[in-house]
Amino acid sequence: MVFSSLSFLFLFLPLLYLLYFIIPNLRWRNGVLVAMSLLFYGWGEPVWILAMLFSTLVNYFCARTVTRIADVRRRRLVLTLGVLASVSFLAYFKYAAFFANSFAALFGSAWRMSEPRLPIGISFYTFQVLTYTVDVYRGKAEALDSPLDLLLYVSCFPQLIAGPIVQYADIAPELRQRAVLPDDFADGFRRFVKGLAKKVLLANLCGQALEELALGQAGWTVVGAWLGAFLYGLQIYFDFSAYSDMAIGLGRTLGFHYKENFDFPFASQTVGEFWRRWHMSLGAFFRDYVYIPLGGSRCSTARAIFNTLFVWLLTGLWHGANWNFVLWGLYFGVILLLERYVLKKALKRAPKLLRLGWTSLLVLISWVIFYEVDLGQMGRHLTALVGLGVTGWIDDTARTVLRTWTLFPLLAWLLSLPTVPAIQKRLPKKLGEAFGMVLTPLLLGVSVVFLIGQSYNPFIYFRF
């Protein structure tokens, strides 16, 4: 089930709110939320609930055991068992075929392992349950008495299948004590509607324009190559940031306060700043649980370079078991090292417009690497950006897309920048509040109309 579906909007969500708010007792509310979250997750593939339950229970017992053991080595052994139990599922479903087939191809073998079907959201809930066990081991959080509370943390439907990645220490107090005030519910619902509109009215339309462009199917042109990268960048931003908006909003209507996951990344003036604004929860996870434990940047230069490249290799692989994701991760790792050790002073002295152009160009190129799973196709797309191997400057398909969609991508790009918040700040307070009250039902109504008429409604990050 997805948030941007009529069954979720008019069946699941009303039923959830009805059951959740007629029960005054928090323990019973948590039980309702767990049951509805499992229903949400198992709507299409109920068998995968078992993997999530197994990972949750193993880490529950490991965390409880860690708190009872004083010996450091035994504590580490228990922690390792909990981590391996969770990571083994992720490793098998997401990476086993990739590594096995790469190894076979390296030695010229024709044998290939078929890829198992990837359980939706496994990368997200695996990382979340790991933060629980590690936080308990570090003494950053207390072990939970009830496995139901841990299952609620892992399975809670707003952020279950596409994030944001919620670290256990950030949400632990609200598992046991929380309240939903009318203002919180209203703000959360407005945030949900904002995300729904971003998904349906912006991400989906960018995706439709990209499909019409039919990249590389009839040869490459310079305009087609750049337009494809631009449209995909907008689609993936609005797709994922919309899901984060909806997750944060839904969480707030239920009494949970999740951290922000996006902060207008396309307004960044360095690539480092871009990654402090894009998918912030993933960056925080790798920083807190991989980069800093490795030594971070408080070590020798050689070690800091290794740490950065290793983390970005993992970041690439987290997004997918394919060589394009490995290259994508290392691409950003190298650029971040260049900004830190080579270009730091030059970027500080450069005009803001030049820094914005530098960042936008490198991020735009990165979408080609991310989008093109086939390495040969990726190479043709990248060379087409500079006019190599092209059939011309522009073709009829690109002209048609430009003629049909010209104003829409430009409007979407403006909305990806902090344009609306800047306008809101200039409005009188009462006018801004009135505008928000009118805008929410309007966006909801228009989004529902589009959902009824649209057949194109994917969530890109579901496959990660």
Side-chain angles (χ1 to χ4, degrees):
M1 188 181 297
V2 297
F3 296 157
S4 57
S5 67
L6 298 176
S7 58
F8 177 83
L9 293 173
F10 296 107
L11 179 61
F12 180 89
L13 197 57
L15 179 61
L16 169 73
Y17 285 147
L18 175 64
L19 296 174
Y20 188 80
F21 287 112
I22 63 173
I23 297 174
N25 182 276
L26 182 61
R27 176 59 59 182
W28 283 98
R29 279 188 174 184
N30 284 350
V32 166
L33 194 49
V34 167
M36 294 298 287
S37 295
L38 294 178
L39 173 64
F40 175 86
Y41 185 71
W43 187 265
E45 298 175 320
V47 67
W48 299 130
I49 293 177
L50 297 176
M52 182 173 61
L53 291 175
F54 176 80
S55 180
T56 302
L57 288 174
V58 167
N59 280 273
Y60 168 76
F61 287 113
C62 285
R64 297 284 294 173
T65 305
V66 160
T67 60
R68 300 185 183 126
I69 298 175
D71 183 73
V72 175
R73 289 185 179 179
R74 291 179 63 194
R75 282 167 54 85
R76 286 179 180 172
L77 176 61
V78 173
L79 172 67
T80 302
L81 290 175
V83 171
L84 288 177
S86 297
V87 172
S88 61
F89 278 100
L90 181 63
Y92 171 74
F93 284 108
K94 196 166 185 177
Y95 303 109
F98 169 66
F99 285 112
N101 294 338
S102 297
F103 188 77
L106 182 65
F107 290 94
S109 172
W111 175 85
R112 290 293 182 272
M113 176 182 175
S114 58
E115 294 185 12
R117 191 170 181 181
L118 185 67
I120 292 175
I122 189 171
S123 298
F124 289 94
Y125 73 69
T126 297
F127 276 20
Q128 290 201 177
V129 77
L130 290 181
T131 72
Y132 167 71
T133 309
V134 174
D135 284 354
V136 172
Y137 171 82
R138 290 175 174 176
K140 190 177 177 181
E142 295 181 1
L144 291 166
D145 294 326
S146 170
L148 181 69
D149 289 335
L150 182 58
L151 184 58
L152 172 61
Y153 162 64
V154 175
S155 69
C156 195
F157 79 92
Q159 41 72 46
L160 172 60
I161 53 180
I165 299 169
V166 180
Q167 295 188 21
Y168 174 71
D170 293 333
I171 203 70
E174 292 179 337
L175 294 174
R176 299 161 176 162
Q177 186 176 0
R178 64 183 182 277
V180 183
L181 301 176
D183 286 346
D184 276 343
F185 185 90
D187 289 343
F189 190 74
R190 280 193 290 267
R191 183 69 179 269
F192 170 77
V193 171
K194 172 188 171 184
L196 179 66
K198 284 170 69 173
K199 166 60 182 167
V200 176
L201 306 180
L202 295 173
N204 285 1
L205 293 179
C206 285
Q208 285 181 265
L210 183 62
E211 282 202 347
E212 288 185 23
L213 191 59
L215 285 173
Q217 292 185 19
W220 289 95
T221 63
V222 176
V223 172
W226 283 103
L227 184 58
F230 181 63
L231 286 170
Y232 184 67
L234 289 175
Q235 181 192 12
I236 199 169
Y237 167 70
F238 284 116
D239 186 277
F240 193 24
S241 68
Y243 193 97
S244 295
D245 284 336
M246 288 188 277
I248 292 168
L250 288 170
R252 194 165 181 183
T253 65
L254 300 170
F256 295 102
H257 295 79
Y258 303 139
K259 289 185 175 180
E260 295 296 330
N261 207 25
F262 287 86
D263 183 21
F264 297 105
F266 291 155
S268 304
Q269 296 179 29
T270 64
V271 174
E273 182 187 357
F274 175 84
W275 277 106
R276 290 190 294 273
R277 291 168 170 255
W278 177 283
H279 202 348
M280 295 150 67
S281 63
L282 180 65
F285 177 89
F286 277 115
R287 179 196 65 214
D288 295 342
Y289 296 93
V290 181
Y291 184 67
I292 291 176
L294 286 174
S297 57
R298 295 183 178 182
C299 50
S300 66
T301 301
R303 177 70 189 202
I305 291 172
F306 169 80
N307 292 344
T308 299
L309 291 177
F310 181 70
V311 166
W312 278 97
L313 172 65
L314 293 181
T315 303
L317 279 172
W318 180 87
H319 282 87
N322 208 300
W323 287 110
N324 73 302
F325 295 116
V326 173
L327 293 175
W328 178 83
L330 293 176
Y331 168 85
F332 274 117
V334 170
I335 291 172
L336 291 170
L337 289 173
L338 286 174
E339 287 191 347
R340 183 188 304 169
Y341 294 110
V342 180
L343 303 172
K344 187 174 182 179
K345 292 182 180 179
L347 287 172
K348 281 186 176 181
R349 292 194 298 264
K352 288 185 178 181
L353 190 60
L354 184 60
R355 294 201 301 267
L356 181 63
W358 153 269
T359 305
S360 299
L361 176 63
L362 293 176
V363 170
L364 199 61
I365 293 171
S366 78
W367 298 132
V368 175
I369 304 172
F370 197 86
Y371 177 76
E372 301 289 3
V373 177
D374 181 84
L375 296 185
Q377 185 81 338
M378 180 202 302
R380 288 185 286 274
H381 194 161
L382 289 172
T383 54
L385 295 175
V386 293
L388 299 177
V390 296
T391 58
W393 174 254
I394 188 172
D395 60 7
D396 291 338
T397 304
R399 286 193 188 94
T400 301
V401 171
L402 282 173
R403 188 164 52 246
T404 307
W405 298 93
T406 297
L407 293 178
F408 170 74
L410 293 176
L411 174 63
W413 176 72
L414 285 173
L415 292 174
S416 73
L417 302 174
T419 310
V420 174
I423 294 173
Q424 288 176 329
K425 286 182 180 179
R426 295 179 178 273
L427 292 175
K429 185 178 180 181
K430 289 186 178 180
L431 181 60
E433 291 175 352
F435 180 72
M437 291 178 64
V438 172
L439 186 62
T440 298
L442 178 63
L443 288 177
L444 179 59
V446 173
S447 298
V448 169
V449 170
F450 268 73
L451 282 175
I452 294 172
Q454 279 183 352
S455 58
Y456 182 88
N457 190 31
F459 262 116
I460 297 176
Y461 262 73
F462 278 10
R463 60 191 176 102
F464 303 135

